[in-house]
Amino acid sequence: MKIKKLPSKFQIARNLAVDMLKNLSEVTQGKKLLLDKLEASERWEICKPCPFLVNTQCLECGCYMNIKVHFAASTCPIKKW
């Protein structure tokens, strides 16, 4: 089995920028930026056993998922939430 590596630093930065633009777009439409603690905690509980999570960083997108779970418009790169 091939061991998955993190995306390149460029790709991580691009993924972060796209995600933040999506969240800002939602805010300009009057939607909330952050989830409440319970919703964020539910997302994090889904992430924790994921084989793509190393420490708190996702091997698919490179994001620190313990932070990403708090943003309302953010999504899991493998569509778990």
Side-chain angles (χ1 to χ4, degrees), residues 11-73:
Q11 189 61 48
I12 292 171
R14 182 185 180 286
N15 292 344
L16 178 61
V18 167
D19 201 57
M20 288 299 104
L21 284 173
K22 183 170 50 171
N23 277 283
L24 290 174
S25 175
E26 295 283 318
V27 169
T28 62
Q29 296 174 33
K31 297 178 183 173
K32 62 183 177 179
L33 175 64
L34 298 173
L35 296 175
D36 62 42
K37 286 183 179 184
L38 178 61
E39 290 173 299
S41 177
E42 288 171 351
R43 284 182 173 187
W44 181 235
E45 289 303 314
I46 293 168
C47 288
K48 285 168 41 176
C50 181
F52 294 108
L53 190 71
V54 175
N55 296 321
T56 59
Q57 198 167 12
C58 176
L59 295 176
E60 282 294 306
C61 63
C63 293
Y64 289 93
M65 298 307 283
N66 61 323
I67 297 169
K68 187 174 182 176
V69 297
H70 293 277
F71 291 92

